[in-house]
Amino acid sequence: MHDSPDPGDRRDAVCVVGAGASGLTAVKNLLELGFQVDCYERETAVGGAWNWRHDRSPVYAGTHLISSRPLTEFPDFPMPDSWPDYPHHSQVLTYLERYSAHFGLGEHIWFGTEVVSAAPTGDGGWEVTTRSTGGGSSRTSRYAAVVVANGHNWDPRRPTIPGEFRGRLMHSSAYKDPAVLRGRKVLVIGGGNTGCDIAVEAAQQAGQVWHSTRRGYWYAPKYVLGRPADQVNGRLLRLRLPLRLRQWLYRRTVRLTTGDLTRFGLPAPDHQPYESHPIVNSQLPYYLGHGRITPVPDVTAFDDASVELADGRRIEPDLVITATGYRPRFEFLAPELLAADEHGRPDLHLHVFARQHPTLAVIGLLQPDSGVFPLAHWQSVAVARWLRLRLDDPARAAAVQQQESAKPLAAWSKRRVVKTDRHWFEVDHLDYLRSLESLLNEMEPAA
Amino acid sequence: MTGFDLLRLKDWTDPVPPAGREVASRLPEDDEGRPPVLFVPGLGHGAWAFAEHWLPHTAGRGFPAHVLGPRPGGDLRAQVHDVVQTAASLPRRAVLVGHGVGAHVVARALARYPARAAVLVAPVLDGWAAAGSALLANPGGTLPALFGGRLRVSARQLFGSGLPAERAAEYLERIAPRPRAELLRRAVPPRPVGAPPVLVVGSPDDRVVSRKALDRAAAAYSGAPLLFPGMGHDLMLEDSWAEPIDAILDWLRKQV
Ligand SMILES: Cc1cc2nc3c(=O)[nH]c(=O)nc-3n(C[C@H](O)[C@H](O)[C@H](O)COP(=O)(O)OP(=O)(O)OC[C@H]3O[C@@H](n4cnc5c(N)ncnc54)[C@H](O)[C@@H]3O)c2cc1C
Ligand SMILES: NC(=O)c1ccc[n+]([C@@H]2O[C@H](COP(=O)([O-])OP(=O)(O)OC[C@H]3O[C@@H](n4cnc5c(N)ncnc54)[C@H](OP(=O)(O)O)[C@@H]3O)[C@@H](O)[C@H]2O)c1
């Protein structure tokens, strides 16, 4: 910093917001291409969501990965092969801490520092204002680019249910320990992976459990044919089987293994396999079959001690957990910078690049049918190479930008998915990686 | 050099099964923050080949030094997997040093792990050429192997004239090469990730890897080989073993 005229001017340096998995890989890949990097992290340690001590972490004591190890690890830093197929969240944190230490990322991260605003300066640069988390004086620095990796699983999407509820009501983000379930009568709302995990933990701990879902889903087991389900699915993709055939195989496999879940009172899925974000849970059907979980439809109202259901039934839980997911939130950026819609959902090229601001990018803002880390890695490689190309060869960079924006809608974004809020950034990891690969190849120096 | 490697369907659907790995380490007295060096032995050579001289010498010069024994029966893919697993288990970005076929393994591992730097010692990147040289230098020991029989190597193939005969015999005793057919091709090294500096080291008098093969290997990384005339293929076991490793470590100090 000493050679720049203004102590707040970081010239060609890049600012990274957040030191979760996405921020860490962004820092690593930017450093690798020779950038100076300042990463700001509001917590006092790395790991983001996987550091369950963090006040905004959505992870609970019993969380294990749903994507298996080979599909979850960074492509250039494998998890130990002696680890289980589906590591525990504490192992994922250890892995991220080791990644950070191995590549010496810590010295580039300012912990306990929150980014409160980032605004374009008009000449392609950025003015970033930071503050100690929870208060204190603020400080503004100039950067050449901003890479946002603030995560999207921390701002609860709370359902609006009419009426007052007398019992305890909490969103799954506040759920940490199954002890709160012990002996209670619990209603879990939401059929995402969180809702299903909590319903299972409640089946093991609570006195009575209702699980409310507003549609039928495909519940994938963690193992199929003796292998992790995503690895088996990968084999089908490797054989390049068409979607229709894969859907048929999926239905067959489910019929032969898990069986017909409508028998337990669940609604039949209102969509085909692969048309919603995968739910991976082997234990939910098990506890349904044991009568430990009672499936119920959508909740329509609260009425003092009771809860009214869409089929007119009333139940009386004493604890309601809404596992209704999370919303993206970028409180430090004006919505138009990311072309965000009225729900705050950004419209970005490849879910990464701000269309009007070539020096603004977001990492990890997508939901794949695989682990997130490999995608966040290649996004970061693409961003680092893009920023490098802009500096080294502005003419080529402009040509690449034109080429990219002229491309027809890519397969990954044409996917048929259930029309629901949470699917706006659902991607097929193979199609998505192919699009990134094509961008990376376009940015290669001409041979 | 090939481009990016995003779609790893093989690794995602059919991961290399874990195996116990033999790693021998020598650490410097004081940790001065230097990157760890991971040695990868070549065909038929165990961890001992580096443990003999280079491992302690490297630690003596301040670099944490490790050597990975090859997994029994492991194919190239499994060996690459083991190198990357071992490198990633070290506390800092590692320097990979491979010898012979071990250098081929390192060249591939470089596409899977952003090494701090890499050194390819007498690299066997071109299996056909190496087989050809072996046929010339030791037809009786090599020919049966091309038809699935046992491969026998001779002292003349691996060592220069400086190594006392009884030591050469003792080493030969411990060298049991079991080449796999997959080595018999000319490999184009994949592009390393993280753009590490790569040094090729060898001897013009190596009877396994020709001078031309050394030049070609170095050119693949836009460099020229560092040569130690008079030495045989097994530079780390020769009487003059200190010269190449000192040169390698001098180079390394300049890089990191
Ligand atoms: C229960 C659960 C289970 C999951 N299981 C899997 C799984 O099996 N496999 C998988 O791949 N993914 C899984 N995920 C998805 C998970 O979100 C990603 O794996 C990963 O954590 C995303 O990392 P990230 O860095 O993008 O976001 P985060 O981990 O949320 O990190 C964002 C970081 O940015 C910091 N930050 C935010 N705003 C600011 C600011 N203004 N200034 C400074 N710092 C800021 C935060 O403190 C945080 O450290 C799961 C998610 C949940 C909720
Ligand atoms: N073990 C794990 O690894 C693990 C565990 C938990 C979460 N995760 C990941 O974390 C992310 C978030 O998962 P999540 O389960 O917390 O959220 P989610 O995937 O967004 O699921 C939310 C669920 O709540 C339902 N819902 C939303 N709003 C509702 C409303 N107003 N009324 C009734 N139901 C409503 C949704 O139904 P619709 O189908 O109608 O949208 C959906 O079933 C996902 O990527 C998930 O894969 C992983």
Side-chain angles (χ1 to χ4, degrees):
Chain A
M1 271 187 227
H2 29 265
D3 57 345
S4 47
D6 166 5
D9 188 355
R10 298 283 284 124
R11 290 179 180 217
D12 294 337
V14 180
C15 169
V16 174
V17 186
S22 301
L24 290 175
T25 192
V27 174
K28 172 197 163 277
N29 286 300
L30 285 162
L31 289 172
E32 222 167 80
L33 280 200
F35 287 100
Q36 288 193 51
V37 183
D38 287 346
C39 172
Y40 297 104
E41 168 53 59
R42 61 187 296 284
E43 298 281 355
T44 51
V46 301
W50 293 104
N51 200 326
W52 76 316
R53 285 172 220 94
H54 289 174
D55 57 2
R56 284 178 178 176
S57 168
V59 161
Y60 31 89
T63 309
H64 282 257
L65 284 178
I66 47 165
S67 45
S68 75
R69 186 163 44 75
L71 282 110
T72 306
E73 64 201 11
F74 290 117
D76 58 357
F77 190 77
M79 293 188 191
D81 60 3
S82 54
W83 280 12
D85 290 332
Y86 295 104
H88 185 246
H89 68 78
S90 57
Q91 288 175 304
V92 181
L93 175 59
T94 302
Y95 172 68
L96 294 175
E97 288 168 347
R98 292 221 348 250
Y99 181 82
S100 174
H102 193 88
F103 295 108
L105 308 182
E107 59 186 280
H108 305 277
I109 305 174
W110 303 79
F111 289 105
T113 310
E114 195 168 4
V115 170
V116 291
S117 124
T121 51
D123 57 358
W126 293 84
E127 234 166 53
V128 175
T129 305
T130 58
R131 196 164 56 205
S132 294
T133 307
S137 59
S138 63
R139 180 195 152 94
T140 301
S141 316
R142 282 177 58 102
Y143 289 95
V146 172
V147 176
V148 177
N150 66 334
H152 56 81
N153 283 321
W154 56 270
D155 186 32
R157 183 195 293 126
R158 297 179 204 275
T160 41
I161 299 171
E164 284 290 324
F165 180 58
R166 191 173 359 126
R168 181 163 176 207
L169 176 66
M170 65 195 261
H171 184 266
S172 58
S173 56
Y175 171 78
K176 289 278 139 187
D177 191 321
V180 300
L181 306 167
R182 215 156 282 157
R184 315 281 295 261
K185 291 187 288 177
V186 182
L187 166 64
V188 181
I189 302 177
N193 283 300
T194 306
C196 294
D197 273 358
I198 298 177
V200 164
E201 295 195 347
Q204 296 160 344
Q205 304 287 340
Q208 189 170 5
V209 188
W210 296 277
H211 188 197
S212 158
T213 55
R214 57 182 180 184
R215 68 180 85 245
Y217 298 101
W218 297 96
Y219 299 90
K222 279 201 153 165
Y223 286 90
V224 182
L225 309 169
R227 304 277 327 155
D230 52 2
Q231 298 180 18
V232 175
N233 185 48
R235 287 189 190 187
L236 304 182
L237 294 171
R238 221 170 131 192
L239 296 171
R240 292 186 171 260
L241 297 188
L243 177 65
R244 286 293 171 99
L245 184 55
R246 282 190 289 126
Q247 289 175 329
W248 179 81
L249 276 170
Y250 190 110
R251 290 195 305 266
R252 287 258 345 134
T253 315
V254 167
R255 189 159 315 138
L256 292 172
T257 51
T258 320
D260 176 12
L261 293 178
T262 60
R263 223 159 53 81
F264 306 126
L266 279 177
D270 59 356
H271 53 278
Q272 287 295 317
Y274 303 112
E275 288 179 1
S276 66
H277 183 62
I279 303 171
V280 188
N281 195 314
S282 299
Q283 297 186 84
L284 191 82
Y286 176 90
Y287 285 110
L288 285 166
H290 285 61
R292 291 287 300 139
I293 298 175
T294 308
V296 294
D298 208 10
V299 168
T300 47
F302 289 137
D303 180 13
D304 196 40
S306 61
V307 173
E308 209 179 271
L309 303 172
D311 59 2
R313 261 188 296 166
R314 282 173 163 258
I315 54 173
E316 295 203 346
D318 45 33
L319 170 64
V320 174
I321 301 179
T322 54
T324 43
Y326 299 86
R327 292 177 310 188
R329 199 167 135 198
F330 304 87
E331 71 280 45
F332 50 90
L333 283 175
E336 60 272 18
L337 295 174
L338 299 173
D341 66 8
E342 71 273 22
H343 304 291
R345 302 182 299 206
D347 173 30
L348 305 168
H349 181 61
L350 289 167
H351 286 312
V352 174
F353 299 93
R355 296 184 193 277
Q356 304 300 328
H357 298 274
T359 51
L360 175 63
V362 182
I363 304 295
L365 186 63
L366 79 187
Q367 206 164 242
D369 51 349
S370 69
V372 175
F373 303 178
L375 276 60
H377 166 88
W378 290 112
Q379 289 181 326
S380 303
V381 172
V383 167
R385 290 189 169 255
W386 162 249
L387 293 175
R388 182 47 63 211
L389 188 66
R390 279 190 85 244
L391 292 179
D392 294 351
D393 191 347
R396 278 281 312 285
V400 167
Q401 188 171 12
Q402 264 213 335
Q403 211 171 332
E404 279 289 305
S405 48
K407 272 189 185 169
L409 226 55
W412 58 265
S413 61
K414 272 193 303 210
R415 235 184 105 184
R416 231 182 100 124
V417 286
V418 173
K419 287 226 163 14
T420 172
D421 252 12
R422 66 195 171 101
H423 280 153
W424 68 280
F425 58 173
E426 190 72 19
V427 302
D428 173 302
H429 71 290
L430 280 191
D431 286 340
Y432 183 77
L433 285 174
R434 285 195 186 103
S435 295
L436 274 184
E437 187 177 27
S438 123
L439 168 61
L440 284 168
N441 287 331
E442 277 162 36
M443 291 192 291
E444 282 286 89
Chain B
M1 296 209 169
T2 39
F4 301 94
D5 183 16
L6 283 77
L7 304 175
R8 307 208 181 156
L9 284 163
K10 175 91 176 145
D11 290 343
W12 293 337
T13 58
D14 188 15
V16 174
R21 282 180 284 271
E22 178 204 355
V23 179
S25 306
R26 291 287 289 271
L27 303 179
E29 310 239 306
D30 309 299
D31 183 0
E32 290 164 37
R34 296 225 166 82
V37 176
L38 176 61
F39 291 104
V40 181
L43 192 66
H45 292 62
W48 62 268
F50 284 109
E52 193 85 355
H53 306 299
W54 282 20
L55 197 69
H57 191 74
T58 301
R61 288 199 48 185
F63 293 86
H66 310 269
V67 57
L68 168 68
R71 89 160 64 184
D75 59 5
L76 260 181
R77 180 171 172 247
Q79 292 185 56
V80 171
H81 167 90
D82 286 341
V83 169
V84 175
Q85 280 280 327
T86 308
S89 76
L90 299 172
R92 282 191 286 269
R93 259 171 90 190
V95 177
L96 305 181
V97 182
H99 171 250
V101 171
H104 184 167
V105 173
V106 164
R108 291 208 185 188
L110 291 178
R112 292 305 176 93
Y113 169 78
R116 190 71 186 74
V119 185
L120 309 182
V121 183
V124 177
L125 298 181
D126 183 344
W128 281 117
S133 319
L135 265 178
L136 280 181
N138 177 14
T142 310
L143 205 54
L146 289 179
F147 297 95
R150 210 165 79 89
L151 175 67
R152 279 175 297 125
V153 289
S154 68
R156 216 176 84 76
Q157 268 176 293
L158 298 186
F159 308 114
S161 49
L163 192 69
E166 62 278 17
R167 282 255 300 291
E170 192 189 307
Y171 288 148
L172 271 184
E173 190 86 343
R174 302 163 80 174
I175 296 173
R178 287 201 190 78
R180 305 175 66 99
E182 62 179 340
L183 289 176
L184 278 184
R185 57 196 186 100
R186 182 184 282 188
V188 180
R191 178 162 73 177
V193 290
V198 178
L199 176 69
V200 173
V201 173
S203 160
D205 304 308
D206 185 331
R207 292 203 181 82
V208 177
V209 181
S210 69
R211 172 69 207 268
K212 243 168 67 198
L214 288 175
D215 286 338
R216 233 184 351 248
Y221 298 94
S222 326
L226 190 59
L227 295 174
F228 295 87
M231 297 186 83
H233 179 65
D234 279 5
L235 288 88
M236 67 286 179
L237 292 175
E238 293 273 38
D239 253 7
S240 50
W241 59 264
E243 284 174 40
I245 188 63
D246 273 328
I248 288 170
L249 296 175
D250 290 343
W251 174 81
L252 211 50
R253 284 216 177 177
K254 280 192 226 120
Q255 304 302 319
V256 299

